[in-house]
DNA sequence: ATAAAACCGGATATGGTGTTCGGTATTGTA
DNA sequence: TACAATACCGAACACCATATCCGGTTTTAT
């Protein structure tokens, strides 16, 4: 790809995520993005059809990283994905941590819908392997939605209470939402790990920050 | 209040909720509301400062009804509010049923924030009486947020799967989210009541459809 | 009867989105 | 190094929705 294109997209993403740290998506204008990225108006619109398209592009980028493990395993026909959902969730949380600073800017208003639609689709896929821990008293559909929403809400809560580690959040989630019949004991096992375990592991920082379409 | 004002507000609310049954809040224009309510542009803006103000007014109206029991009990210093949260939740669901048709139109985009902010504030108040069922492993703050979100999500799910009764939804919620240590047995007790119990009880239809400010 | 106040609706200011246009600068390639 | 392709520029513009303004009309309460 043309170096100019690459630089433009980097600048736009940097400007966009930067602005998201300061105010919510709906309040950010295209002009602000253009000004901060220091590019021409026309240039922006040749890269992104609309402002929403940019948001979708960003979300795709985020989830491309966050759920990268899944993609890889699916590609290599590794069926270990059926096992150990808790550790996979922790993995997701580790990756999400890289985007926490600007997540609050996305998680309100219209942009929340865009983010959550994609996030929930990924989570639904992940949780669909879980066998219903609450048996027949509740519709399967409700259960799946319940687990997905719980995790999504845990992430939203995390984005507003960022003094916790991925392990903490994972622990809170599992303590309040058993995702597996054999995990019901988790409520007693899972303890808040006050040691904030810094940022470690899960480091597959492939530098592909930009989308590769167009 | 002047009869004209009353009629105008009724017409606006009718038009607004009617439109919400057809499309989401963000897609509804003030002009559409004006046309359907058959009022003048200026009239609308003398009643509601902005389109968002109308939405807030509608939400206040909804929750005024939905949580009316609470208000009454608080006023009369009836401290029975600390007891029997499940039945209070069922009460809320019964009242919400009156607004289900147009709720999906509110529960996306910016309007979701407005609705949920108020809804969650009410629920927080309601759930704050609950003693943490998950003990010390999880922050109190997380727990409260967890219960509130679970209920809110249950309502959102209900608005998209409206073949269920308030009892059903209440059952699903209690089966997946124990709201009280003494209720943990609920998981086994609560069974899906397939008989859709129609609309009964909870009928305090005070006709105060409009707000009484201004 | 009359004054207050509620209503009317067309014109207009404001502000954001997305497009058009003619022209400039950079890039990959021969 | 020449050169065609293409990415970029930015001001001007069309469009649409929100919210205000203003002069005039109708309804209401007293």
């Amino acid at each position: 790809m043309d170096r100019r294109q690459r630089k433009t997209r980097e600048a736009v993403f940097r400007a966009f995520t930067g602005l998201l740290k300061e105010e919510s998506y709906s309040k950010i204008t295209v002009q602000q993005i253009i000004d901060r990225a220091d590019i021409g108006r026309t240039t922006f619109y040749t890269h992104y059809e609309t402002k929403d398209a940019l948001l979708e592009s960003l979300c795709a980028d985020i989830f491309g990283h966050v759920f990268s493990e899944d993609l890889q395993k699916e590609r290599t026909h590794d069926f270990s994905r059926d096992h150990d959902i808790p550790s996979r969730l922790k993995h997701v949380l580790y990756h999400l941590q890289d985007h926490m600073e600007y997540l609050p800017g996305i998680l309100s208003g219209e942009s929340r819908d865009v983010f959550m639609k994609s996030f929930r689709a990924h989570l639904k896929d992940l949780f669909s392997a879980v066998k219903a821990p609450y048996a027949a008293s509740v519709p399967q559909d409700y259960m799946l939605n319940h687990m997905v929403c719980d995790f999504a809400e845990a992430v939203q809560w995390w984005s507003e209470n960022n003094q916790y580690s991925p392990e903490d959040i994972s622990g809170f989630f599992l303590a309040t939402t058993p995702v597996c019949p054999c995990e019901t004991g988790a409520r007693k096992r899972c303890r808040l790990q006050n040691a904030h375990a810094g940022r470690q592991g899960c480091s597959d920082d492939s530098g592909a920050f930009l989308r590769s379409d167009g």
Side-chain angles (χ1 to χ4, degrees), chain A:
Chain A
M1 183 195 272
D2 197 312
R3 182 198 298 145
R4 287 171 293 180
Q5 283 187 52
R6 228 185 317 126
K7 292 184 98 169
T8 296
R9 295 200 164 209
E10 271 170 12
V12 169
F13 266 67
R14 219 184 345 266
F16 187 39
T17 53
L19 286 163
L20 279 170
K21 290 175 191 167
E22 293 161 20
E23 51 191 334
S24 65
Y25 173 76
S26 62
K27 285 178 185 166
I28 296 172
T29 68
V30 173
Q31 196 57 52
Q32 279 178 290
I33 299 168
I34 286 169
D35 289 344
R36 187 177 287 214
D38 196 28
I39 60 167
R41 189 165 193 73
T42 319
T43 305
F44 176 87
Y45 280 107
T46 54
H47 280 266
Y48 305 98
E49 206 165 298
T50 65
K51 194 179 125 189
D52 282 350
L54 168 61
L55 176 62
E56 277 164 32
S57 187
L58 177 63
C59 288
D61 195 76
I62 292 171
F63 295 124
H65 285 88
V66 168
F67 291 94
S68 56
E69 197 88 348
D70 296 342
L71 295 173
Q72 206 176 345
K73 283 189 176 169
E74 274 171 16
R75 233 182 271 121
T76 59
H77 296 264
D78 179 347
F79 292 113
S80 70
R81 60 195 297 270
D82 290 349
H83 316 323
D84 200 17
I85 283 169
S87 72
R88 291 185 68 215
L89 290 177
K90 218 181 288 177
H91 216 90
V92 167
L93 291 171
Y94 262 109
H95 280 294
L96 265 178
Q97 202 172 29
D98 298 338
H99 310 273
M100 268 301 152
E101 280 173 279
Y102 58 82
L103 226 55
I106 297 180
L107 291 176
S108 73
E110 316 269 2
S111 50
R112 184 185 190 277
D113 296 350
V114 174
F115 182 91
M116 282 300 176
K117 189 185 170 186
S118 181
F119 192 34
R120 290 169 61 138
H122 278 98
L123 288 177
K124 235 166 195 164
D125 182 56
L126 200 155
F127 282 122
S128 62
V130 176
K131 288 186 193 72
Y134 299 109
S137 66
V138 176
Q140 191 61 35
D141 192 36
Y142 184 95
M143 267 316 305
L144 188 52
N145 182 70
H146 172 69
M147 293 184 290
V148 166
C149 288
D150 265 15
F151 193 75
E153 293 290 359
V155 168
Q156 173 130 21
W157 186 85
W158 191 23
S159 79
E160 292 153 8
N161 299 267
N162 41 12
Q163 72 266 36
Y164 295 99
S165 71
E167 274 85 4
D168 291 338
I169 302 299
S170 168
F172 301 162
F173 172 75
L174 292 171
T176 52
T177 309
V179 294
C180 175
C182 56
E183 285 293 328
T184 35
R187 289 190 185 176
K188 283 155 200 162
R189 281 205 309 279
C190 290
R191 282 283 138 81
L192 168 54
Q193 297 164 4
N194 278 317
H196 293 173
R199 301 264 307 281
Q200 68 201 16
C202 295
S203 54
D204 56 352
D205 296 331
S206 52
F209 191 55
L210 295 168
R211 288 181 72 213
S212 52
D213 67 33

